[in-house]
Amino acid sequence: MLFCPSDHHIPDTNAFATMAQQGISAACQGAIVTFGVVPSFPSTAYGYIEQGTSNDNISFSVARFIEKPTADKAEELILQGNMLWNAGIFLVQAGTLLTAMEEHAADILQSCRQAMGQATQDQQFVRPEPEAFIACRADSIDYAVLEHHKKMAVVPFSSAWSDVGSWSAVANLCSPDKQGNRIDGQGLAIQSERTYIHAPHRVVVTLGTQDLLVIDTPDALLVVASSHAEQVKTVVAQLEASETPEAGIHRKVARPWGWYDSIDRGERFQVKRIVVKPGSSLSLQKHHHRAEHWIIVSGTAMVTKGTETFLLTENQSTYIPIGEIHRLENPGKTDLEMIEVQSGSYLHEDDIVRLQDNFGRA
């Protein structure tokens, strides 16, 4: 089993595949094999792995894991010459991992076994038993298992790698211009130096800036000095503490049947762009506080409204009064796209009474 974080940037696919293959021998001998990136500078953003003795001139024993260091400590580690960045990627036989879990995190393993032993399935979803899953202790597998396991091995990786863990790391994925500016999207840096602009949705202009990161998204705008890029997590914590909705809710929201994008909203209205995948349907539902207008943009909609069921196609529309039972389905072979205009005194997502749902939602 090869475990890989989903947000890493590794441009050389062949080098990555070779690295994984180099760990197979040690994994087959019962080791949990980690992969360490040969460091190119003294980073404080990564944990480190100290290489021990060589096993087969390919993998090495793990002498110790080191938490993210201070700047001075990071320089000391680099100078030792046997340090690797911990990439968070590891290779292990399933049986080895289960045995290690039994030894070092038996409570987590037991909770998972209970949750999956009583799991239910609807369509493509496997749903662990909720109470057992929620009761499971939350911990990183690094802390819970890997740092305590005796038979660990590490394979060095010398190709390009980034965990894209900060906006500075994201910026480094773009090629700089002569002034060191990096642009992603519709950015324009005028008389600026070492400025990064992330602008996928609209034009963003900087004038006379230096060492700035400007990140424009549909949810929020972030302007941060490059020297403070690693501290963005403190901003998120403050937004969560102040219960700012954007800290946890995106404008575009994925759903089992497709997605919706909240285009605009006011005191008594909200406008959504809704896309339903072929063969999918929303729940049979009603609302106590809002009415809805549906306008079909493309595709075909099967609409249930009260006791009626009918088809709507491009440029057709319907009105769903407050309290009316309704459902939207896509019987076609292409995406169904529509605009929904909600109006009423309360427009939050918890004003949904689901009477029937294909995805097991309450």
Side-chain angles (χ1 to χ4, degrees):
M1 301 174 66
L2 180 65
F3 291 79
C4 306
S6 62
D7 57 349
H8 289 191
H9 178 70
I10 303 173
D12 192 335
T13 305
N14 290 331
F16 174 76
T18 299
M19 176 196 74
Q21 291 169 346
Q22 289 174 338
I24 291 176
S25 177
C28 287
Q29 295 175 35
I32 299 178
V33 182
T34 64
F35 299 94
V37 176
V38 177
S40 54
F41 62 94
S43 174
T44 61
Y46 308 133
Y48 286 73
I49 299 172
E50 182 178 350
Q51 291 178 224
T53 57
S54 174
N55 296 327
D56 49 15
N57 294 321
I58 296 176
S59 65
F60 298 79
S61 63
V62 173
R64 59 175 173 146
F65 291 93
I66 302 168
E67 293 294 319
K68 296 177 181 178
T70 62
D72 292 343
K73 184 63 176 178
E75 291 182 4
E76 291 180 15
L77 295 175
I78 291 291
L79 291 174
Q80 289 185 32
N82 62 339
M83 293 292 175
L84 304 168
W85 288 336
N86 187 353
I89 302 170
F90 65 97
L91 182 75
V92 62
Q93 292 187 99
T96 300
L97 182 59
L98 290 173
T99 299
M101 290 285 291
E102 287 276 16
E103 181 177 356
H104 305 295
D107 61 319
I108 293 178
L109 182 60
Q110 181 61 24
S111 294
C112 291
R113 282 175 168 160
Q114 289 179 355
M116 296 308 298
Q118 303 175 53
T120 58
Q121 184 167 357
D122 53 84
Q123 293 196 5
Q124 68 268 45
F125 293 92
V126 176
R127 302 181 183 276
E129 196 282 316
E131 292 186 7
F133 188 80
I134 292 171
C136 182
R137 172 168 59 93
D139 201 357
S140 162
I141 194 166
D142 297 72
Y143 299 146
V145 178
L146 304 189
E147 293 186 3
H148 305 288
H149 196 61
K150 293 181 180 179
K151 196 167 185 179
M152 294 292 305
V154 61
V155 173
F157 182 59
S158 57
S159 188
W161 168 87
S162 171
D163 76 342
V164 201
S166 69
W167 279 107
S168 290
V170 175
N172 288 334
L173 301 180
C174 298
S175 299
D177 63 16
K178 293 180 180 179
Q179 287 72 42
N181 300 310
R182 301 171 190 265
I183 308 298
D184 180 13
Q186 303 176 59
L188 181 61
I190 302 174
Q191 299 176 23
S192 299
E193 297 178 348
R194 300 177 301 280
T195 294
Y196 170 66
I197 304 175
H198 174 81
H201 302 288
R202 60 178 175 174
V203 175
V204 174
V205 181
T206 62
L207 176 61
T209 60
Q210 294 181 340
D211 301 306
L212 275 188
L213 305 169
V214 181
I215 295 90
D216 185 44
T217 76
D219 302 305
L221 172 66
L222 173 68
V223 180
V224 57
S226 299
S227 59
H228 289 61
E230 298 290 345
Q231 300 175 33
V232 170
K233 64 180 68 176
T234 64
V235 177
V236 177
Q238 290 185 37
L239 292 173
E240 291 175 340
S242 63
E243 298 184 350
T244 302
E246 286 78 4
I249 301 175
H250 294 288
R251 203 185 85 169
K252 185 175 180 180
V253 178
R255 285 289 185 259
W257 41 260
W259 54 267
Y260 69 81
D261 184 1
S262 297
I263 300 171
D264 193 12
R265 72 177 300 154
E267 185 177 349
R268 293 183 60 85
F269 77 91
Q270 181 170 214
V271 182
K272 290 182 177 180
R273 177 187 174 198
I274 296 176
V275 172
V276 184
K277 296 182 291 188
S280 291
S281 67
L282 283 67
S283 58
L284 183 67
Q285 59 184 251
K286 64 179 180 179
H287 311 292
H288 291 304
H289 304 286
R290 74 176 187 240
E292 296 175 348
H293 294 259
W294 295 350
I295 304 98
I296 307 304
V297 176
S298 63
T300 301
M302 175 75 75
V303 177
T304 298
K305 185 170 72 171
T307 58
E308 298 180 86
T309 299
F310 52 90
L311 291 175
L312 292 178
T313 57
E314 184 175 334
N315 291 326
Q316 294 182 324
S317 63
T318 190
Y319 169 66
I320 310 294
I322 293 175
E324 183 73 275
I325 294 173
H326 60 278
R327 166 174 264 167
L328 178 68
E329 303 176 59
N330 180 359
K333 296 183 179 180
T334 60
D335 285 348
L336 162 64
E337 182 175 349
M338 67 171 237
I339 300 298
E340 176 183 86
V341 181
Q342 302 175 357
S343 59
S345 60
Y346 186 82
L347 302 172
H348 295 287
E349 287 299 297
D350 55 359
D351 182 27
I352 299 177
V353 180
R354 291 191 175 93
L355 307 175
Q356 182 182 345
D357 185 69
N358 294 332
F359 305 103
R361 297 171 297 174

